[in-house]
Amino acid sequence: MFREPEANLSPSIADEVKFTTCYMCACRCGIKVHIKDGQIRYIEGNRNHPVNKGVLCGKGSSGIMQHYSPARLRKPLKRVGERGAGEFVEIEWDEAMEIARARLDRIRRSDPKKLAFFTGRDQSQSLTGWWAMQFGTPNFAAHGGFCSVNMAAAGLYTIGGSFWEFGEPDWERSKYLLMFGVAEDHDSNPIKIGLGKLKARGAKIVSINPIRTGYAAISDEWIGLTPGTDGLFVLALVHELLKADAVDLDYLVRYANAGWLVIKAPGEADDGLFARDADGDPLSFDQRAGALAKATAAEIAPAVVGEFALPDGRKAVPVFHLIAERYLDESYAPEAVAQRCGVSADAIRRIAAEIADVAFNQAIELDVPWTDWAGRRHETMRGRPVAMHAMRGISAHSNGFQTCRAIHLLQCLIGAVDCPGGFRYKPPFPKPIPPAQKPAGKTTAPCTPLDGMPLGFVMGPEDLLIDSDGKAIRIDKAYTWEAPLAAHGLMHMVISNAWAGDPYKIDTLLLYMANMSWNSSMNTARVMEMLTDKDETGEYKIPYIIYSDAYASEMVAYADLVLPDTTYLERWDCISLLDRPICDADGPADAIRQPVVEPDRDVRAFQSVLLDLGARLQLPGMTREDGAPLYPGGYADYIVNHERSPSIGPLAGWRGANGGSEGRGAVNPAQLDAYIANECFWRHELEPKQRFYKFANKDYLEFAAYMGFIAKPEPIVMQLYGEPLQKFRLAALGHGPIQPPESMRETLKSAFDPLPFWYAPREEAQIDRRRYPLHALTQRPMIMYHSWGSQNAWLRQILGRNKLYVATAKARELGLADDDWVRVTSHNGSIKVQIKTMDGVNPETVWTWNAIGKRAGAWNLAADAPEARKGFLLNHLISELLPNKHQRRSNSDPITGQAAWFDLCVRIEKCDPGDETSEPQFPALPPLVGLVAAPSINQFGAQFKR
Ligand code: SF4
């Protein structure tokens, strides 16, 4: 009998499959890369990987085009023309390294802080920060100050963890999720997987976001509030919950500082600080004993309201008393905030009632006994199944730190932090509040490492990085009175300050993966001028720029020396617990990248270059006693053999001589082999009894101490009332030996409130809103990772240009229709763009996708590419300085220095379309020497059919 030949439904497409970690966004999913004849054929999600469990997004699959991008740099470059002209010659690595070594050696021997080292979306900050420390410069940060430091710092100063990398909703159990200011960005695949779980269980998802895109599009309720008013909205929810007595007081006195006493002594130097005993421990009023007691003692019943006498006769009140007093005030009532927020009072009241109902009437109980830090056994784990998540929409406002604290206050009040159904910490969090590491760099000296890492957490004015005259020690002015809690630095101020010589001139700017002449800067056109500006002697005001990147980004043209990096598929990397980990709430995890193909160009991984440079400079920790390199095998050698403290290194898995240890252990020379055998990741599953209440869970705290996550297995008490903030306020009131300048006192007094509060974004407060009545936002698209994605041949087909989205009703009011050209004007400048109307946006808000616009000629794209001719950046409109520019105050959150790029206000007016080209346009960059010709038709894949 005739039989049809069977169809081969799974033809072999590859002759080799290698595991590694995606780098097409910050999420770090596990991937399987299929390779045929030494070429990348196909990328697949790794089903066993803890981050993505097999899910691969469009960006991840398009990694092939990132790897084969014609924009890849091919060889070190030395500038030969004027800076900015894009004229280079190719040089050998030996010459490039010697140029860098000689320059940096001279700086290190004279004044190490004249090197400013800033990185972009670097995933190796524990190495780059450590390198800066060993070099001796405090001028180091990654792009966090431009991105989300408000979210990170507010969390770390309040609950000892934060959203995204440090925590996640309990996707398995939550019944109600509030998402604030989240586009389809960070933590992409885990959130998508999690939202799917919530949807499948019928949980309610509420999105609070001026724009209904990304995750908001699948939410059950969209609250399209006015940008920058989230804090007011949240505190109105707090008002309603307090009014309804819907707070978990038992939780608050056990796990937060609700019962700690705050000194009430207006005018005195310790007003508003915690009352402490002779040991310096905070005090509560124990209702059982009828006396003051150590607030951290296990068996006390702290009073949460009332006024109590201290031994010196002064009065003190519990933190919760202040909370109730503050937020029960009618100024926080829904009616009082509704108009400002653009949300009806009824909606606010209803959401508060829904939160209360789910938290208290639908509480869950896990039948899992656990033991708290004091040894008390609890038979069950109680859960308040309301979870919260927030990201850049909160962070990128100048009131973002206090707003994020308000969200944490809200989730603490209902007892929903690290309980079943609530927000959950991902190890190594929670950490002590704030983490113990202080920023180093108070003193610098030639050939001397810093006495700690450049970034850290300040506790009061004494920790600021200012000299005896109050002048900033860092070039970005982080940890000064302008940005005291600047835990991630102020990347957006580096070029502006270096150009202005304020607080001093630098010698060399070393940048890695930071597109600072384009989408990673505010005031882009002006930044380009600063990068090329010369002083009266004819020297560049920023004397020398070394740039490392894998691609011909806009920034390359402004470098004096270009060090070409590999793609993510050609390199070793570690996603380390010392850095930005990939853990989930049920267990710590880390991962590696391995080279799945060899570079076909003369490029080197930046991390290996940095270690090589360190050895050539004879930096401690990178050089043997005989002067030879300590890590001759580059980054892979460092990943295995470096120990940050005895027995703790970049990777936690397979430590010890035989690979049998986790977390701690001697160096294992075969560690990378063990990771590769385990599909390039390691994960430790917590026992059920360790998984919740991690801040007070004896078994978890002991595990965390063993792993080196925390110094001691002691409870971590959530700080609803932030004493470090009050210390800055007291300084502003004239107390203490370290005093702010007069010009800063009012800002410090108002912004450094120890309880969360709302204030109008700073730019709004300084401009005439009648001239700039609309808010303007950018969102990261789900299919791009900043400028990387918008040059990717496959991803460009999805979004090759951007438009300005305007609410349909607002467009009608302004006489605008789809595809009209408009002029968008802010206090800082004007751009010309095309619009599109939509309904899912707050009517007083316009917005666009981030980093789609490109400079003509950059990224090896055609000079008339749609990204260059029609795409645009809002960055041109955003100033790095507040509108009163003579003061040179950064456009930032006054607490953390977070770049406030969501504070932008504009007006839009219909304009002549002209040649239908967006403005501003800049001279096209010439083709970069050495790049391959970009094909006019992408025929990738055809080669596999031949
Ligand atoms: S979410 Fe990010 S890391 Fe994960 S597959 Fe997509 S691009 Fe890669």
Side-chain angles (χ1 to χ4, degrees):
M1 194 172 74
F2 174 77
R3 291 182 57 164
E4 288 281 348
E6 283 180 12
N8 181 0
L9 298 176
S10 300
S12 170
I13 57 158
D15 42 41
E16 198 179 4
V17 178
K18 285 188 174 171
F19 289 88
T20 189
T21 304
C22 185
Y23 204 158
M24 290 296 288
C25 83
C27 187
R28 292 158 291 169
C29 298
I31 52 173
K32 291 165 76 172
V33 183
H34 297 252
I35 301 158
K36 188 159 188 165
D37 301 329
Q39 289 187 291
I40 295 164
R41 179 81 171 87
Y42 175 60
I43 298 176
E44 183 189 0
N46 178 2
R47 286 162 204 238
N48 301 319
H49 197 275
V51 171
N52 57 320
K53 301 176 177 69
V55 176
L56 190 75
C57 77
K59 300 185 292 287
S61 351
S62 302
I64 299 175
M65 287 299 105
Q66 206 76 12
H67 177 71
Y68 290 120
S69 166
R72 285 177 308 172
L73 299 171
R74 306 187 71 81
K75 205 170 171 63
L77 302 173
K78 185 167 74 170
R79 179 175 63 79
V80 288
E82 287 292 300
R83 192 187 281 169
E87 292 165 20
F88 293 91
V89 289
E90 294 185 329
I91 57 172
E92 299 303 322
W93 272 101
D94 275 350
E95 184 183 350
M97 294 300 281
E98 179 50 27
I99 292 171
R101 186 209 62 78
R103 187 119 202 154
L104 299 191
D105 189 52
R106 185 172 48 72
I107 296 170
R108 182 168 170 255
R109 290 177 189 284
S110 52
D111 185 357
K113 69 177 185 301
K114 298 259 170 152
L115 170 67
F117 178 20
F118 285 78
T119 70
R121 289 162 189 94
D122 169 22
Q123 291 182 3
S124 55
Q125 290 166 38
S126 84
L127 168 72
T128 49
W130 176 75
W131 192 96
M133 168 183 139
Q134 301 297 62
F135 184 87
T137 179
N139 288 324
F140 166 82
H143 85 292
F146 197 62
C147 178
S148 53
V149 65
N150 270 340
M151 195 202 51
L156 292 170
Y157 275 90
T158 309
I159 61 168
S162 80
F163 302 115
W164 183 31
E165 283 172 321
F166 310 161
E168 64 183 343
D170 186 350
W171 300 114
E172 307 297 334
R173 301 170 191 84
S174 185
K175 299 179 185 177
Y176 197 95
L177 174 68
L178 290 154
M179 276 190 303
F180 297 90
V182 185
E184 212 271 25
D185 51 7
H186 307 78
D187 212 16
S188 177
N189 278 343
I191 288 187
K192 279 180 263 177
I193 297 168
L195 292 176
K197 288 179 181 170
L198 295 189
K199 284 274 177 192
R201 286 193 290 102
K204 179 167 181 180
I205 300 170
V206 181
S207 170
I208 298 104
N209 195 325
I211 308 160
R212 188 170 197 180
T213 59
Y215 309 134
I218 57 126
S219 61
D220 298 283
E221 182 167 0
W222 171 56
I223 304 289
L225 90 177
T226 303
T229 62
D230 308 67
L232 208 48
F233 171 80
V234 169
L235 294 173
L237 296 176
V238 167
H239 173 90
E240 286 294 290
L241 291 169
L242 286 168
K243 241 173 78 178
D245 216 7
V247 293
D248 190 338
L249 274 180
D250 183 47
Y251 178 97
L252 289 172
V253 297
R254 276 175 182 269
Y255 308 129
N257 63 4
W260 292 17
L261 292 174
V262 177
I263 298 166
K264 262 181 96 172
E268 294 186 24
D270 54 359
D271 178 46
L273 301 182
F274 293 129
R276 293 178 185 272
D277 64 15
D279 301 327
D281 293 326
L283 292 166
S284 284
F285 184 82
D286 181 9
Q287 297 179 95
R288 282 194 203 119
L292 298 176
K294 275 189 196 300
T296 48
E299 297 300 344
I300 62 165
V304 292
V305 289
E307 195 172 78
F308 303 94
L310 298 173
D312 61 9
R314 296 185 302 168
K315 299 280 189 257
V317 294
V319 164
F320 186 80
H321 183 109
L322 296 173
I323 288 173
E325 217 169 53
R326 163 84 57 98
Y327 305 112
L328 279 170
D329 189 274
E330 285 305 305
S331 60
Y332 290 102
E335 285 76 10
V337 308
Q339 194 185 3
R340 181 101 209 196
C341 294
V343 184
S344 75
D346 283 350
I348 298 171
R349 259 193 302 273
R350 179 177 47 74
I351 290 170
E354 287 174 2
I355 291 170
D357 178 56
V358 176
F360 296 101
N361 300 331
Q362 301 181 44
I364 52 181
E365 206 91 13
L366 296 190
D367 207 7
V368 179
W370 66 286
T371 306
D372 70 23
W373 62 274
R376 297 170 291 198
R377 183 179 158 92
H378 304 257
E379 292 308 319
T380 62
M381 290 177 161
R382 174 180 296 163
R384 307 273 183 214
V386 177
M388 295 173 205
H389 182 76
M391 201 39 215
R392 191 179 290 131
I394 301 300
S395 212
H397 286 293
S398 56
N399 59 13
F401 178 85
Q402 291 285 15
T403 294
C404 201
R405 265 179 57 73
I407 297 172
H408 291 307
L409 171 68
L410 173 63
Q411 46 179 11
C412 286
L413 286 178
I414 57 169
V417 174
D418 216 44
C419 70
F423 162 88
R424 301 184 65 193
Y425 298 106
K426 296 178 183 179
F429 298 91
K431 299 251 187 185
I433 303 171
Q437 182 181 308
K438 303 261 175 81
K442 279 200 170 188
T443 55
T444 58
C447 296
T448 307
L450 301 183
D451 57 0
M453 294 288 267
L455 297 175
F457 300 88
V458 307
M459 289 296 283
E462 65 282 5
D463 295 330
L464 291 178
L465 293 189
I466 51 178
D467 65 17
S468 51
D469 298 328
K471 204 167 142 196
I473 285 174
R474 287 177 57 112
I475 187 68
D476 58 357
K477 302 191 186 179
Y479 308 112
T480 66
W481 296 105
E482 282 190 47
L485 273 53
H488 291 176
L490 281 78
M491 190 176 183
H492 63 296
M493 292 307 297
V494 173
I495 290 172
S496 179
N497 288 355
W499 167 80
D502 175 18
Y504 48 79
K505 290 185 183 301
I506 61 163
D507 181 284
T508 294
L509 182 57
L510 171 57
L511 296 176
Y512 173 51
M513 273 179 73
N515 201 11
M516 298 286 287
S517 68
W518 200 247
N519 58 292
S520 290
S521 274
M522 295 168 159
N523 204 6
T524 314
R526 182 77 189 108
V527 163
M528 284 188 258
E529 289 170 10
M530 293 175 190
L531 289 168
T532 52
D533 198 14
K534 293 182 176 175
D535 62 20
E536 53 289 347
T537 69
E539 291 300 315
Y540 288 111
K541 286 194 170 176
I542 300 175
Y544 203 73
I545 299 174
I546 304 174
Y547 185 49
S548 178
D549 200 328
Y551 303 98
S553 71
E554 284 86 351
M555 185 61 209
V556 168
Y558 295 91
D560 301 295
L561 180 67
V562 180
L563 304 175
D565 194 15
T566 64
T567 74
Y568 72 104
L569 297 174
E570 297 167 327
R571 63 189 302 125
W572 292 100
D573 261 330
C574 71
I575 292 93
S576 169
L577 286 167
L578 303 178
D579 205 318
R580 303 171 53 187
I582 53 157
C583 312
D584 59 85
D586 285 339
D590 60 21
I592 63 164
R593 287 194 185 92
Q594 63 163 328
V596 299
V597 287
E598 288 299 318
D600 61 355
R601 311 163 314 290
D602 195 8
V603 298
R604 294 182 187 173
F606 176 70
Q607 290 74 12
S608 293
V609 169
L610 208 53
L611 290 163
D612 182 1
L613 202 48
R616 291 172 193 242
L617 290 163
Q618 300 284 290
L619 296 188
M622 286 169 245
T623 321
R624 292 185 196 281
E625 276 180 15
D626 64 1
L630 188 55
Y631 303 112
Y635 196 32
D637 190 347
Y638 164 94
I639 290 170
V640 172
N641 292 301
H642 175 73
E643 287 181 294
R644 192 53 60 92
S645 52
S647 80
I648 292 182
L651 290 171
W654 297 282
R655 299 196 68 80
N658 60 6
S661 305
E662 290 187 318
R664 288 178 188 269
V667 164
N668 169 16
Q671 193 179 30
L672 290 176
D673 296 332
Y675 270 80
I676 291 168
N678 197 56
E679 304 181 353
C680 290
F681 69 90
W682 164 86
R683 180 172 181 271
H684 170 94
E685 178 101 357
L686 295 175
E687 292 180 56
K689 65 182 178 183
Q690 296 173 311
R691 291 184 190 171
F692 295 97
Y693 299 103
K694 294 186 185 84
F695 40 67
N697 184 320
K698 184 170 188 290
D699 292 297
Y700 175 77
L701 291 168
E702 285 173 354
F703 167 76
Y706 166 77
M707 294 289 286
F709 301 163
I710 54 177
K712 290 181 258 180
E714 290 176 351
I716 293 159
V717 181
M718 291 183 284
Q719 300 292 298
L720 308 176
Y721 184 95
E723 192 183 50
L725 296 163
Q726 178 66 8
K727 289 184 180 172
F728 285 98
R729 187 184 247 187
L730 287 168
L733 288 164
H735 300 290
I738 304 171
Q739 284 294 298
E742 289 307 315
S743 59
M744 287 302 302
R745 287 192 194 277
E746 284 312 310
T747 304
L748 291 160
K749 272 188 249 174
S750 62
F752 281 71
D753 195 316
L755 286 178
F757 81 112
W758 182 85
Y759 53 94
R762 297 170 95 193
E763 178 175 316
E764 273 183 55
Q766 288 192 8
I767 58 169
D768 181 352
R769 286 302 311 278
R770 288 166 302 181
R771 295 188 68 202
Y772 311 107
L774 299 174
H775 298 269
L777 304 176
T778 55
Q779 292 209 120
R780 210 180 82 193
M782 58 288 284
I783 34 79
M784 306 282 187
Y785 185 44
H786 303 289
S787 51
W788 268 18
S790 50
Q791 55 90 33
N792 181 299
W794 289 351
L795 299 176
R796 290 180 67 210
Q797 296 176 59
I798 305 171
L799 191 60
R801 57 156 309 182
N802 54 325
K803 292 184 180 176
L804 187 77
Y805 291 95
V806 182
T808 309
K810 179 58 66 179
R812 207 175 297 128
E813 182 188 319
L814 296 173
L816 298 171
D818 278 349
D819 294 329
D820 277 349
W821 286 84
V822 297
R823 193 147 281 287
V824 189
T825 308
S826 74
H827 77 92
N828 193 57
S830 166
I831 61 175
K832 185 184 123 192
V833 305
Q834 205 169 11
I835 71 153
K836 178 96 183 77
T837 57
M838 67 178 285
D839 290 330
V841 58
N842 174 287
E844 303 307 318
T845 303
V846 295
W847 72 280
T848 193
W849 297 117
N850 180 36
I852 303 300
K854 294 256 181 277
R855 179 159 173 193
W859 297 92
N860 206 0
L861 295 177
D864 62 352
E867 288 86 349
R869 282 188 59 79
K870 296 196 188 289
F872 64 92
L873 299 177
L874 283 185
N875 304 47
H876 301 302
L877 299 176
I878 308 171
S879 174
E880 81 280 15
L881 300 173
L882 284 171
N884 297 335
K885 289 188 179 171
H886 63 278
Q887 293 180 327
R888 287 207 88 251
R889 286 274 154 70
S890 72
N891 179 12
S892 306
D893 187 303
I895 300 172
T896 60
Q898 155 93 47
W901 38 297
F902 276 13
D903 284 2
L904 178 65
C905 292
V906 300
R907 66 171 178 271
I908 59 173
E909 296 146 307
K910 190 168 178 173
C911 70
D912 181 351
D915 62 354
E916 303 219 327
T917 302
S918 62
E919 292 175 8
Q921 289 286 324
F922 301 91
L925 292 167
L928 197 59
V929 61
L931 293 194
V932 294
S936 54
I937 299 175
N938 182 2
Q939 293 186 308
F940 179 81
Q943 72 268 37
F944 300 117
K945 295 189 179 141
R946 285 179 201 127

